[in-house]
Amino acid sequence: MYSVFHFYGNMKINKKLLPIKLHYFFFMAALGPILPQLPLIGKDLGISSLVMGIITGILPFTFLLTKPLFGLLFDVYRQYRKIIFLSLIITMTLSFGAIYFLPSRPLLKFNLKFFNYTSSGICDNATPMVCNSTCLTKTTSFLDTFEIKRLCALPSSHLQSEDLNCYLTCTEQPEPNLYKTLTFWAFIIFISVATIGFNVVNSISDAVCFDVVENQELYGKQRLWGSIGFGLTGLISGYMVDLVSAKSLKYIPAFVTMTTCSIFDLFVCLKLELPVIPAPKHICKDLKLVLNDKHVLTFITFAVLAGMLDALIIYFFFWYLEDLAMQTNTPDVKLIEGLILAAETLGAEVIFFSLSGKILQRLGHVHTFTTCFFNYALRFGLIAIAPSPWWFLPIELFMQGPTYALTYTAIVAYADDLAPAGMSATMQGIAAGMSDGTGYAIGSVIGGLLYRYVGGKATFQIFTGMALGCGVLHFVLHKTILKRGSIRSGYETIK
C-alpha cells in the first residue's frame, strides 16, 4: 500500500493536458456508480442470468458498426467534432437516467429467528414471491429457493434457527410474461442507447487523447484519471446505496452521481481544444493495407479473445459476488461492491496505466499481450476459490492493473500506431469494436450460458482454463508461424 500512496504523492499535473485529464475523470466518474450495476438492475427487474447474458451478448455487436462509423464521422467532419462529442455524452446520460424510472421488484429481508407470520404480513401478500435462505432446518442444508406459499405452509419447527443472523430474502416473483412487458423492452432500449453512447465516446476520447499528447507514453498518464474518477464514485455511490436502502434497494444515489458528473464533463468538453489535423484522403485504400497484414489480423483476433475474458468480469463478477454473499450470509453487499470498484481503479489500475507506456516499450506488444492472458487466468482462478466476497477485495486490488489496464493500453496504443494520418478515431473504433464488440458479445453469451447451467464458481474455473489456453497459443504462434517477418507500424518483429 505504501507504493500506492507514494505514487499519488509524486504525481505532477501538466496544465496543458489538464482538460483531457478532467474529461477522463468526470466521464468515467459518471459511469462508476452505474456501469457495474446494470446486470444487477436487470436482475432486480426479474431478468434471469441467461437472458441478461444474451442481452449483453447482442449489444456489443452493435459496437462493431457504431464505433468505426462515429470514428469515421469524427475524422471526416472535423468542423463538427465537438458537437458530435457533446451530443453523444448527452444521449448517454439521458438514457442511463431513464433506467432509474423503470419499476423494479422490491427486495424484502426478514430474520428467521424472529420471523412472525402475523406481524410481517408476508403470507397475506397477494403478490407471489420468491425467497432464499442459507439456514433453513429440515428443508435444506445449503440454499433453497421456493415460493412464499410453500414457506407459509411449513410448520414453525422448520423455521427455527439458533443463528441470530439467519435471514430470509424475498423478491416478487417475475411476471410469467415479463419479456413481453413494456418495462422489459424499455430497459432494452435504454441500456442499448446508453452503452453504445458510452463505448463510442470512450473510443473517440482515446483518439482525442492521442491527438493531444506529445507521445504515446503520456496516454496512460491521462487515462489513469478516468480510473480515479470511476473508483471514487463507485465507492461513494456503493456506500450511499447501502445507507439509504433499508429493506429495499434504492439506486437513486448512483443515478444522481452519474448525472452530476456528466454535467461537469459537458462543461469540461466545451473547453477542450481539439488539434487541427487534415482529413484523410484515401480511407479505404489505407485501411485495406493495414487489415491485410497477417500480424495485424492475429493481434485483432487475440484482442477479441481478451474482450471475451473481460466480459465475464464486467457482466457476471458482481452477479457472482451477490450470489456468494447470499450463500455466506454476508451483509453490506453494495458497500463491498463500492470498495471493490475503488480497489480496482485506485490501486494497481492507476499504477499500470501510468507505467504501461514503459512496459510496452520494454516488452513489446506481443510479449505484453501474452502476459495479460496469464494474468487473467490467475485472476479468474483466485476469484473461483475465494470463500467469501471480502476476499475479492485484495484480488481485485492487485489484479485489475495487470489485466484490464495493461490490455486496454496495449490495444489502443497499437491502434494508434496502425492509424494512417488523420484516421486515429477510425482505427480506434475498429480496434475497440473488435475487442469491446465481438469479444464482449461472445464472452457475455458464453458466460451467461455457463453461469445458468454450471454456476458461478465453475464458470470462473472454465474461464481460467480459457485464459491459460489463449496465453499459450499466443506465445506459440509468435514463436513459430509468425516468428519471421516484420510487422508494420510498430508491432515489433519477434526474434
Side-chain angles (χ1 to χ4, degrees), residues 341-403:
L341 284 176
E344 287 177 340
T345 52
L346 303 179
E349 182 176 319
V350 169
I351 295 174
F352 270 79
F353 266 129
S354 179
L355 300 177
S356 58
K358 294 181 179 179
I359 294 173
L360 286 170
Q361 188 178 31
R362 184 176 182 83
L363 298 181
H365 293 85
V366 170
H367 296 311
T368 300
F369 233 165
T370 299
T371 303
C372 288
F373 286 116
F374 290 130
N375 291 339
Y376 268 113
L378 177 60
R379 182 181 184 181
F380 292 148
L382 291 173
I383 290 173
I385 64 174
S388 80
W390 285 106
W391 283 91
F392 293 158
L393 264 175
I395 294 171
E396 294 302 290
L397 173 65
F398 292 106
M399 295 308 301
Q400 174 78 351
T403 51

Side-chain angles (χ1 to χ4, degrees), residues 44 46 104-107 125 127-130 170-175:
D44 291 342
S104 61
R105 300 179 302 161
L107 178 68
N125 195 323
T127 304
M129 305 192 79
V130 176
C170 300
T171 58
E172 287 184 5
Q173 191 177 41
E175 296 181 43

Side-chain angles (χ1 to χ4, degrees), residues 159-216:
L159 296 172
Q160 300 305 311
S161 172
E162 295 180 359
D163 184 1
L164 293 179
N165 293 317
C166 182
Y167 287 98
L168 176 73
T169 303
C170 300
T171 58
E172 287 184 5
Q173 191 177 41
E175 296 181 43
N177 296 319
L178 172 67
Y179 305 119
K180 296 180 181 179
T181 62
L182 178 62
T183 297
F184 173 76
W185 287 106
F187 177 74
I188 296 296
I189 293 172
F190 293 147
I191 194 177
S192 299
V193 175
T195 53
I196 288 172
F198 157 66
N199 279 275
V200 171
V201 171
N202 202 32
S203 63
I204 290 179
S205 297
D206 292 332
V208 170
C209 184
F210 280 112
D211 287 345
V212 171
V213 299
E214 298 173 356
N215 59 69
Q216 253 190 30

Side-chain angles (χ1 to χ4, degrees), residues 56-129:
T56 54
I58 293 174
L59 269 178
F61 281 115
T62 62
F63 305 158
L64 286 172
L65 175 64
T66 54
K67 285 192 174 186
L69 176 61
F70 278 96
L72 186 62
L73 291 174
F74 202 75
D75 284 331
V76 174
Y77 298 101
R78 293 185 169 270
Q79 66 272 32
Y80 301 112
R81 286 191 298 172
K82 188 165 289 189
I83 295 176
I84 295 172
F85 203 44
L86 294 174
S87 299
L88 287 168
I89 295 173
I90 293 172
T91 303
M92 177 200 75
T93 304
L94 292 176
S95 299
F96 274 133
I99 295 175
Y100 172 74
F101 297 98
L102 297 178
S104 61
R105 300 179 302 161
L107 178 68
L108 306 174
K109 197 170 185 179
F110 302 90
N111 192 315
L112 286 178
K113 181 69 177 178
F114 306 105
F115 186 77
N116 186 306
Y117 291 132
T118 56
S119 63
S120 70
I122 188 171
C123 293
D124 299 327
N125 195 323
T127 304
M129 305 192 79

Side-chain angles (χ1 to χ4, degrees), residues 146-338:
F146 46 87
E147 291 187 11
I148 190 62
K149 297 300 182 183
R150 179 179 166 193
L151 170 68
C152 294
L154 289 175
S156 59
S157 60
H158 286 230
L159 296 172
Q160 300 305 311
S161 172
E162 295 180 359
D163 184 1
L164 293 179
N165 293 317
C166 182
Y167 287 98
L168 176 73
T169 303
C170 300
T171 58
E172 287 184 5
Q173 191 177 41
E175 296 181 43
N177 296 319
L178 172 67
Y179 305 119
K180 296 180 181 179
T181 62
L182 178 62
T183 297
F184 173 76
W185 287 106
F187 177 74
I188 296 296
I189 293 172
F190 293 147
I191 194 177
S192 299
V193 175
T195 53
I196 288 172
F198 157 66
N199 279 275
V200 171
V201 171
N202 202 32
S203 63
I204 290 179
S205 297
D206 292 332
V208 170
C209 184
F210 280 112
D211 287 345
V212 171
V213 299
E214 298 173 356
N215 59 69
Q216 253 190 30
E217 287 189 24
L218 293 176
Y219 164 77
K221 294 181 179 180
Q222 317 314 311
R223 181 59 179 78
L224 67 84
W225 287 97
S227 299
I228 294 172
F230 194 93
L232 285 176
T233 57
L235 173 62
I236 296 171
S237 171
Y239 172 74
M240 292 302 297
V241 168
D242 259 344
L243 190 65
V244 302
S245 301
K247 287 188 176 181
S248 61
L249 280 176
K250 297 178 181 178
Y251 287 100
I252 189 168
F255 285 94
V256 170
T257 304
M258 181 273 299
T259 304
T260 303
C261 290
S262 291
I263 292 173
F264 277 111
D265 186 35
L266 288 171
F267 282 111
V268 170
C269 290
L270 285 172
K271 300 294 184 181
L272 186 62
E273 295 293 333
L274 303 180
V276 178
I277 300 174
K281 296 181 179 180
H282 307 290
I283 294 178
C284 295
K285 181 180 178 181
D286 292 340
L287 281 178
K288 185 177 179 180
L289 288 173
V290 171
L291 297 177
N292 279 338
D293 192 301
K294 64 180 181 180
H295 297 89
V296 175
L297 293 175
T298 301
F299 187 94
I300 290 176
T301 300
F302 279 91
V304 171
L305 294 172
M308 290 173 57
L309 299 176
D310 203 44
L312 184 67
I313 295 290
I314 291 175
Y315 297 121
F316 294 105
F317 175 54
F318 276 2
W319 197 304
Y320 177 54
L321 184 152
E322 296 204 352
D323 286 347
L324 185 61
M326 177 73 72
Q327 295 171 15
T328 57
N329 199 28
T330 303
D332 302 322
V333 176
K334 294 302 175 185
L335 175 60
I336 296 174
E337 291 171 356

